[in-house]
Amino acid sequence: MRIALNARILQAPRTGIGQYLVELVAALRAQPELDLELFHGWSWSRQLPEAALPGYGRWTALARCLPGAYGIRRRLEQRHFSRGIEKAPVDLYHEPSLWPLDFDGPTVMTVHDLTHLHYPETQPRERLAEIERRIGPAMERARLILTDSQFVADEITAHYGVAPERLVVAPLGHAPRFHPRPPEALAPRLSAFGLRPGRYLLCVGTLEPRKNLTLALRAYRRLPAGLRRRFPLLIVGMPGWKQRTLAGELRAALADGSVRLLGYQPDDVLAELLAGARLLLFPSLYEGFGLPVLEALASGVPVLLSPRSALPEVAGEAGIYLEADDEPGWSEAIVRLIEDDQAWLRQRTLGLEQAGRFSWQRCACITAAAYRRALEG
């Protein structure tokens, strides 16, 4: 079974969807009947790129200033895609992100979330227009639609009228690098950041309004000054679209040095930062899955999170749920999980048990079964 997979998103630094693609491809290659052909926007190969395209951020910023840039890029990609298919035909095409390219055969697409509906302000205007124009027809053409969670599957049925039998829930997994680590194994990496294992808090996510980082910052600043000095708050993530609403909060939080903005970090660094954290704070307002939550649980790190969207599906009983606007509640929970070692250990155990229910191998098996079903018509 020859499968065409659109891997163009890996031109960008790897965030959620990029990680999904990398891990899914690795797990699918363990399926003996699958032969994967990866499309990179301009070329085809069987290999994943080792790193993002150099200068990708500058090109993206430039494209936002050029009228019609998204449409032009789309037409060029379609031309390269179609030529590749003509030279080496495939049985099925899988689009892992939002809207598929045109393809005459059976198509499977993955819809990770409907952020464009709930938070359109987080998308560049031209890209949002392209999504709104293409996603409905794409869902109609697709034989099957994969989602990361039942929550998103239900949203797709409610918003787009897609029949439930055309939706397949394939929960994500966690990579082997996310696991508990002893303090001595973490010390070399953390010392480079001036950190000690178990002596800092962590937020992970793109800096944009729906991640609700302002709540985390405000709750953290309510902590006693001595506790903030002992447990700094680290924020790891790429700048998001229209993050100016965070700017004032960030400036105030960064002023005394207890909050540190680390920006985007490579996979291996993020894994060690997660494993060394006392807590992950994840107050997001909307997630189609919430991969950092699962990765923290797999690393033996308790997670404070909001009970929104798909997050309860991921964290289950291991999550410590607090309403997304409850600053005092978040502050109190942070203090309790810092000062009460027994409560922390209880949540750590629950988290490791919950993480054990998810794997990329399971995700790949469900995906491969969806391919076979789509080919059967």
Side-chain angles (χ1 to χ4, degrees), residues 12-54:
R14 293 176 188 174
T15 53
I17 299 177
Q19 295 294 354
Y20 162 78
L21 184 56
V22 168
E23 298 297 340
L24 179 64
V25 166
L28 284 173
R29 282 181 170 149
Q31 303 281 325
E33 78 275 23
L34 298 185
D35 183 8
L36 302 181
E37 298 290 339
L38 306 180
F39 177 61
H40 300 287
W42 313 105
S43 62
W44 291 80
S45 80
R46 293 174 181 268
Q47 302 301 317
L48 291 167
E50 294 184 1
L53 190 69

Side-chain angles (χ1 to χ4, degrees), residues 60-230:
T60 301
L62 179 62
R64 287 174 179 162
C65 302
L66 297 175
Y70 281 99
I72 293 169
R73 188 190 70 188
R74 177 80 176 188
R75 288 192 292 273
L76 290 172
E77 288 177 358
Q78 182 67 61
R79 184 181 303 171
H80 288 287
F81 180 82
S82 298
R83 286 177 178 172
I85 294 295
E86 288 173 7
K87 292 179 182 177
V90 299
D91 299 305
L92 178 143
Y93 163 41
H94 180 184
E95 172 54 56
S97 176
L98 277 186
W99 64 85
L101 294 158
D102 293 335
F103 177 65
D104 290 336
T107 296
V108 170
M109 65 184 292
T110 301
V111 178
H112 298 280
D113 57 54
L114 299 184
T115 301
H116 63 283
L117 289 179
H118 301 287
Y119 295 92
E121 69 277 6
T122 65
Q123 303 284 346
R125 184 173 59 184
E126 191 175 353
R127 184 173 189 273
L128 179 64
E130 284 288 301
I131 294 172
E132 291 176 338
R133 185 166 70 90
R134 294 181 181 276
I135 191 169
M139 288 185 182
E140 291 178 7
R141 293 197 314 271
R143 290 272 178 91
L144 292 174
I145 300 170
L146 293 164
T147 68
D148 303 340
S149 63
Q150 186 62 51
F151 171 81
V152 173
D154 293 342
E155 278 201 312
I156 292 171
T157 296
H159 286 281
Y160 292 99
V162 176
E165 57 267 24
R166 291 181 54 228
L167 294 159
V168 177
V169 178
L172 309 187
H174 49 88
R177 64 181 174 275
F178 296 104
H179 61 86
R181 305 175 190 232
E184 58 272 19
L186 293 168
R189 175 78 72 187
L190 297 186
S191 63
F193 288 98
L195 300 169
R196 294 168 55 193
R199 292 292 295 270
Y200 58 90
L201 313 177
L202 193 61
C203 285
V204 176
T206 304
L207 304 186
E208 62 181 47
R210 76 179 171 96
K211 297 297 184 179
N212 200 25
L213 291 178
T214 54
L215 179 280
L217 292 170
R218 290 171 183 171
Y220 178 75
R221 292 182 68 195
R222 296 174 72 103
L223 302 182
L227 203 60
R228 294 201 307 273
R229 283 193 294 272
R230 288 170 46 217

